Amino acid sequence: MSKKLLAGVLGAAALMMGAASAQADEPAKIGFVYVSPIGDAGYTYQHDLGRKAIEEKFGDKIKVSFVESVAEGPDAERVVMNYAKSGYKAVFATSFGYMNPTLKVAKRFPKVAFEHATGYKRAANVNTYQARFYESRYLTGLVAGSMTKSNIIGYVAAFPIPEVVRGINAFTRGIRAVNDKAQVRVIWTNSWFDPGKEREAADTLIGQKADVLTMHADSPATIQAAEDAGIYAIGYNSDFAKFGPNSHLTSSVTNWAPYYVKRVGEILDGSWKGNQDTWDGLSADMVQVAPFHKDVPQSVRDQVEQAKADIIAGKLHPFAGPINDNEGKERVAGGQTMSDGDMLGFNWYVEGVVGKLPK
């Protein structure tokens, strides 16, 4: 081989090695898909705190993007597809209605890691994850049941899917543990984020004499309605105290950051595996209870803390029998506890919830 040819070969090899090295040094691209605006509090806000946690943890090893207010359905598929086509290593799809679009895209991009929040369908490159929201819901129910005077508690709810029904039932179980005269009235908005509908539902419940409100929705409208009416409210996903300084008793708070840090760490070190499901709660600090309003008596705070410790220790379960539905039928016998599978399929109200569950 001539010196000139050898020099050319070595030069080409050096260029290839340089390109490979540069590619190896490029940050891993991570994408997030949000169902509502990030805002100042709520479901999407908490996921975005998790996004910020991975940026702080991994720095220039990753490049993170997000798209907010992505409608469930075809638009979600478009956004997830764009990430996959653009060389992203992982996509976190953070809403229940993103499940099928995510699975569809995942089939076309088997080398991309997909993570879907609150769903139940998995694949070789798709994991699911959610929080045991019902544990902290039960704890905040203890507060609501202790603080109501009218014994009517209002609940502004998004969609009648098992996740939301499970939260209503756990909250009611907490209420009834301390106040068997209290009832929960539910109004459905059929939207994860619609401040106008949420406010209208909250005002309607106030008109029905509810003196404590809570919600499964992503805006502060319910808390603000309670503040304006001079009654109490309990938040969800975030600490909503700044939206109701006089009304906000506490919140059920979701902490996604540890999960995101764990999964992104696995993606970076090559140990990430698909087809996994994570369902963590108080024991993993994935759900928490926000600080209490000054009006909450110390005795109630102590009761909440004891119940929290008992749930973590396995001494207390929000869905331990006996449990009747709101039509008087026994659903869980005494000495029995609902399985995860049964809780994941909740399609009935517990005793204490007024009305029929929409089909």
Side-chain angles (χ1 to χ4, degrees):
M1 182 182 291
S2 68
K3 290 182 178 181
K4 187 173 182 180
L5 180 59
L6 178 61
V9 170
L10 291 174
L15 284 172
M16 290 174 65
M17 290 178 63
S21 176
Q23 188 174 12
D25 291 339
E26 287 180 1
K29 293 195 286 188
I30 312 292
F32 285 80
V33 189
Y34 298 149
V35 74
S36 59
I38 293 170
D40 298 320
Y43 179 79
T44 292
Y45 177 81
Q46 294 303 122
H47 282 288
D48 202 57
L49 291 181
R51 176 187 67 82
K52 291 176 179 177
I54 65 170
E55 289 182 321
E56 182 176 350
K57 173 71 175 179
F58 299 108
D60 59 8
K61 294 179 181 178
I62 60 174
K63 180 179 179 181
V64 186
S65 301
F66 66 87
V67 182
E68 57 187 327
S69 300
V70 178
E72 296 174 325
D75 200 38
E77 182 180 338
R78 175 187 62 80
V79 174
V80 175
M81 181 73 76
N82 284 343
Y83 276 140
K85 285 181 175 178
S86 301
Y88 277 67
K89 294 278 287 182
V91 180
F92 290 87
T94 65
S95 188
F96 179 81
Y98 297 160
M99 181 168 62
N100 290 332
T102 299
L103 287 163
K104 187 175 179 180
V105 176
K107 287 181 180 179
R108 292 186 55 183
F109 296 89
K111 294 184 179 180
V112 177
F114 294 90
E115 295 272 345
H116 177 236
T118 74
Y120 58 88
K121 295 180 182 179
R122 292 171 286 283
N125 61 330
V126 181
N127 288 334
T128 51
Y129 61 101
Q130 66 175 315
R132 292 186 183 268
F133 308 111
Y134 68 88
E135 292 182 345
S136 51
R137 283 286 203 189
Y138 178 89
L139 299 179
T140 60
L142 297 174
V143 178
S146 299
M147 299 299 290
T148 182
K149 297 288 195 299
S150 69
N151 286 330
I152 298 174
I153 296 166
Y155 205 116
V156 177
F159 294 98
I161 61 173
E163 174 197 337
V164 182
V165 177
R166 188 166 57 248
I168 293 167
N169 286 342
F171 183 67
T172 304
R173 292 277 291 168
I175 291 167
R176 301 282 282 198
V178 296
N179 183 348
D180 61 8
K181 294 182 176 61
Q183 60 177 234
V184 175
R185 299 185 180 184
V186 182
I187 294 181
W188 299 95
T189 64
N190 293 307
S191 173
W192 294 119
F193 180 82
D194 191 323
K197 285 185 178 179
E198 293 162 34
R199 178 62 188 247
E200 182 179 357
D203 287 339
T204 299
L205 291 163
I206 293 168
Q208 295 176 6
K209 308 301 182 185
D211 63 351
V212 180
L213 300 179
T214 193
M215 82 286 194
H216 192 133
D218 208 16
S219 91
T222 301
I223 310 298
Q224 292 166 328
E227 182 79 5
D228 292 344
I231 65 170
Y232 289 128
I234 290 173
Y236 182 53
N237 280 311
S238 292
D239 184 342
F240 277 87
K242 63 184 176 183
F243 296 100
N246 299 304
S247 64
H248 183 266
L249 295 173
T250 186
S251 281
S252 167
V253 175
T254 314
N255 176 26
W256 300 109
Y259 182 82
Y260 287 150
V261 168
K262 176 184 176 183
R263 287 295 188 233
V264 171
E266 292 170 350
I267 289 161
L268 292 176
D269 68 22
S271 64
W272 185 92
K273 294 179 181 179
N275 206 23
Q276 299 184 77
D277 179 57
T278 298
W279 197 10
D280 286 334
L282 291 168
S283 62
D285 202 35
M286 191 176 269
V287 295
Q288 306 164 337
V289 175
F292 298 106
H293 188 278
K294 61 180 177 58
D295 287 356
V296 179
Q298 188 61 48
S299 60
V300 176
R301 303 178 191 211
D302 292 343
Q303 188 173 26
V304 170
E305 290 302 319
Q306 185 61 58
K308 175 183 176 181
D310 288 346
I311 290 173
I312 292 172
K315 297 178 181 178
L316 171 65
H317 194 291
F319 294 116
I323 303 175
N324 291 340
D325 64 23
N326 69 347
E327 294 180 347
K329 179 182 177 181
E330 184 178 80
R331 295 285 191 154
V332 183
Q336 302 296 312
T337 299
M338 290 189 75
S339 67
D340 282 358
D342 287 340
M343 287 190 292
L344 287 169
F346 248 126
N347 61 358
W348 48 273
Y349 284 143
V350 298
E351 187 174 43
V353 184
V354 176
K356 291 185 178 294
L357 183 63
K359 299 299 183 184

